Amino acid sequence: MTSHYLNFVGGQWVPSHTKRTFPDINPANTDEVVGVFQASGPDDITAAFAAAACAQPAWAALPAPRRGEYLFKAAEILESQLTSAATDMTREEGKTLPEATGEVKRAINILRYFGGEGSRLFSYQIPSERENVFCFTLRKPLGVVGLITPWNFPSAIPAWKLAPALVAGNTVVLKPASLAPLSALRIVEALERAGIPAGVINYVTGSGGAVGDAMLENTSLKAISFTGSCEVGNRLYDKATRRRLRVQLEMGGKNPTVVLADANLDFAAATLVNAAFFSTGQKCTACSRAIVERAVYEPLVERLVARTRALKIGNGLEAGIDIGPAVDESQLNTDLEYIAIAQREGAKLLCGGRRLTGGAYDKGFFVEPTLLGGVTPDMRIAQEEVFGPVLALMVAEDFEDAMRQANGVRFGLSAAIISNDISRVHQFVNRIEAGLITVNLPTAGVEYQLPFGGTKESSFGMREQGPLALDFYTESRTVYLKHTV
Ligand code: NAP
């Protein structure tokens, strides 16, 4: 029987005021409805913000280490459900079970990391010029924060927004992506079971179009953290800044990997296949452009084609599958459209490029991992985010040409170089326009304890994750305290 899930508002699981629901469909088997969720509207958002505003003063007054304890407990609860939470994620998002298990583990690590921040929450103590004056800063929570998350990391992204927000003393209204709302619900359930006070965390599902304005217009809202497409993020930015709200946006990418002529080509091919195709290329940090020095272009292509053809595509719950489906039909069509556009503009299809059909494939949104050769910087496939398993291969005449091509896009999320030439690696690290830079590693696969975020049109605002994450969710107050005798 299909499970029905409710919103979590003011410590209660409640149906939407709209009395409407929507299905969460398995993209590997569209016959399977993973769950039915509330198709919320503005009234649900208003109720969630009212509950969050009511709970906020008491939550902020609780000593931060005690706030952290709720996160530790939630981490323990989520860990006890690791297999079922990962299975839920594979069923709703399509990524393979090992990928989903890794993501839930990451969410657990994030809860623990920020649980620990409860006993740190550092601020500054700075000497005064004056006698008997003691100066320091205080970190204060902002109040009620709104979190809007995408489907591609449906557990880790809610966790990396929720955990710093909560430990800093904010209360939260979370709106997860409609394509994968169950993974975030598992974290909310864990926090509830950990005993978090009513109203501190509120979870409202429903289409972004139906609830977005109500979130942005709510007078209790003090900050909005969004991860998703540039199109939606930029619209939210306009609305949020009109009200002088604090805003944090993590958006698209067109992430390059530069392969220099000295690279070990088997290693380079393995690294590129990992970065471009795992999680069906549906990672914001996935590599979508390989920029390769001419001397090694052809031998690298040969190795890439062989490795890509060997990948197993299928239902991520089955053992041995490397790549699951696209998340839905619309994303599948986007992948196929970009492959067609690239060929029309002169790129050469080297392998893949088709929707997989026949047998179990007919029930899902499976697309072959695709290599496109001879891509030039003016082509749309070199400039626009696809968000699927499509890798554009580009020739660079030399290092300078590679740098020019790598930086010649509007995005700046992640970037990699494969080379052991220390001088060029140093130059790359200093000159590449990206927030996340890797050397001899895939562009994707970042760790939870380090700051995360991009530059240029990929991101706006303060960094997420790691020690810098708390800056977004806190406001600094400066105190001058004179002791008199
Ligand atoms: P999306 O369509 O922008 O959706 C993201 C979230 O915004 C969803 O919860 C969505 O709700 C909501 N939303 C949609 N319209 C809204 C509106 N008018 N007001 C308020 N909220 C609204 O993005 P996506 O397709 O889920 O995710 C893919 C994109 O995310 C890619 O571009 C990828 O690069 C980016 N991404 C970036 C990062 C990063 O850290 N830089 C990480 C992961 C993903 P519904 O689901 O109900 O539409």
Side-chain angles (χ1 to χ4, degrees):
M1 208 183 74
T2 307
S3 300
H4 285 243
Y5 297 98
L6 300 172
N7 289 335
F8 189 62
V9 175
Q12 304 290 323
W13 291 98
V14 293
S16 162
H17 289 84
T18 64
K19 304 200 187 324
R20 286 187 289 107
T21 56
F22 67 92
D24 178 11
I25 307 280
N26 182 344
N29 173 11
T30 52
D31 286 346
E32 185 191 0
V33 178
V34 178
V36 171
F37 287 80
Q38 303 302 305
S40 307
D43 290 348
D44 301 299
I45 292 293
T46 305
F49 273 94
C54 180
Q56 204 271 329
W59 179 245
L62 204 64
R66 295 214 2 232
R67 294 198 295 264
E69 280 170 23
Y70 290 103
L71 299 186
F72 285 131
K73 259 192 225 158
E76 212 175 287
I77 292 163
L78 198 57
E79 195 163 48
S80 71
Q81 305 166 342
L82 177 63
T83 309
S84 64
T87 306
D88 284 344
M89 190 189 300
T90 296
R91 287 166 64 223
E92 71 173 352
E93 201 272 352
K95 63 180 67 178
T96 66
L97 192 56
E99 287 170 337
T101 305
E103 187 183 333
V104 179
K105 282 187 186 160
R106 182 168 170 186
I108 293 163
N109 283 335
I110 290 165
L111 291 170
R112 291 211 168 105
Y113 178 92
F114 286 105
E117 285 297 310
S119 18
R120 288 184 286 269
L121 275 184
F122 293 123
S123 53
Y124 294 103
Q125 188 260 306
I126 297 169
S128 170
E129 293 177 323
R130 289 167 282 182
E131 281 184 11
N132 293 336
V133 174
F134 182 61
C135 299
F136 56 98
T137 62
L138 288 175
R139 259 187 202 276
K140 287 285 185 187
L142 304 176
V144 181
V145 300
L147 311 178
I148 301 180
T149 55
W151 47 264
N152 68 326
F153 283 100
S155 179
I157 294 180
W160 83 49
K161 293 184 192 296
L162 276 173
L166 293 177
V167 85
N170 302 284
T171 54
V172 159
V173 176
L174 166 67
K175 196 221 83 72
S178 302
L179 287 172
L182 182 54
S183 299
L185 179 136
R186 294 295 179 223
I187 299 177
V188 175
E189 276 178 345
L191 285 163
E192 181 202 17
R193 286 183 53 201
I196 202 156
V200 170
I201 166 83
N202 302 277
Y203 162 94
V204 180
T205 54
S207 130
V211 299
D213 283 352
M215 280 185 89
L216 268 291
E217 285 161 15
N218 192 285
T219 51
S220 297
L221 179 72
K222 293 292 180 282
I224 190 105
S225 178
F226 166 85
T227 301
S229 62
C230 292
E231 189 195 346
V232 174
N234 291 337
R235 241 185 291 139
L236 294 185
Y237 172 88
D238 288 341
K239 289 186 179 142
T241 48
R242 239 180 277 147
R243 284 186 54 198
R244 292 175 199 272
L245 293 174
R246 195 175 281 200
V247 52
Q248 178 178 56
L249 308 172
E250 287 300 341
M251 304 179 288
K254 193 71 205 175
N255 310 307
T257 297
V258 168
V259 182
L260 296 186
D262 72 292
N264 174 319
L265 297 186
D266 287 317
F267 172 78
T271 306
L272 279 166
V273 164
N274 172 320
F277 300 141
F278 288 1
S279 298
T280 324
Q282 295 173 152
K283 291 177 181 170
C284 53
T285 49
C287 173
S288 50
R289 295 181 293 149
I291 301 168
V292 186
E293 272 197 292
R294 186 178 288 286
V296 292
Y297 180 82
E298 289 300 338
L300 180 64
V301 165
E302 210 174 285
R303 286 165 172 81
L304 277 171
V305 169
R307 278 182 188 271
T308 304
R309 288 208 172 118
L311 293 170
K312 292 198 173 55
I313 298 120
N315 187 326
L317 287 178
E318 289 166 18
I321 292 297
D322 298 305
I323 294 174
V327 72
D328 68 356
E329 192 162 17
S330 156
Q331 183 60 56
L332 173 87
N333 289 337
T334 301
D335 298 348
L336 297 173
E337 270 164 35
Y338 269 103
I339 294 165
I341 291 167
Q343 290 177 87
R344 279 204 299 279
E345 292 187 351
K348 183 172 169 208
L349 183 66
L350 299 171
C351 80
R354 291 173 310 155
R355 180 178 188 168
L356 287 163
T357 51
Y361 285 138
D362 286 342
K363 301 264 179 198
F365 306 117
F366 296 97
V367 58
E368 290 176 321
T370 300
L371 292 168
L372 292 162
V375 172
T376 51
D378 53 316
M379 294 180 187
R380 285 180 63 191
I381 195 70
Q383 295 293 332
E384 297 174 21
E385 185 184 50
V386 178
F387 218 52
V390 183
L391 180 62
L393 302 174
M394 307 169 75
V395 175
E397 297 307 331
D398 54 22
F399 177 70
E400 286 305 322
D401 187 31
M403 286 305 304
R404 229 180 349 260
Q405 293 192 43
N407 284 335
V409 293
R410 67 190 177 104
F411 299 106
L413 191 52
S414 65
I417 185 165
I418 302 183
S419 170
N420 287 316
D421 179 333
I422 191 159
S423 162
R424 282 174 164 179
V425 165
H426 256 271
Q427 286 197 54
F428 178 84
V429 166
N430 280 305
R431 289 168 53 194
I432 190 71
E433 294 163 0
L436 301 157
I437 303 163
T438 64
V439 177
N440 296 322
L441 285 166
T443 51
V446 297
E447 300 180 28
Y448 69 90
Q449 73 278 26
L450 285 139
F452 178 96
T455 183
K456 294 163 84 174
E457 291 186 35
S458 289
S459 302
F460 177 82
M462 298 174 201
R463 287 292 181 249
E464 301 205 81
Q465 300 192 79
L468 303 188
L470 290 163
D471 292 343
F472 178 74
Y473 294 103
T474 54
E475 189 177 69
S476 181
R477 307 270 170 87
T478 306
V479 182
Y480 295 79
L481 189 155
K482 175 158 182 167
H483 47 97
T484 54
V485 274

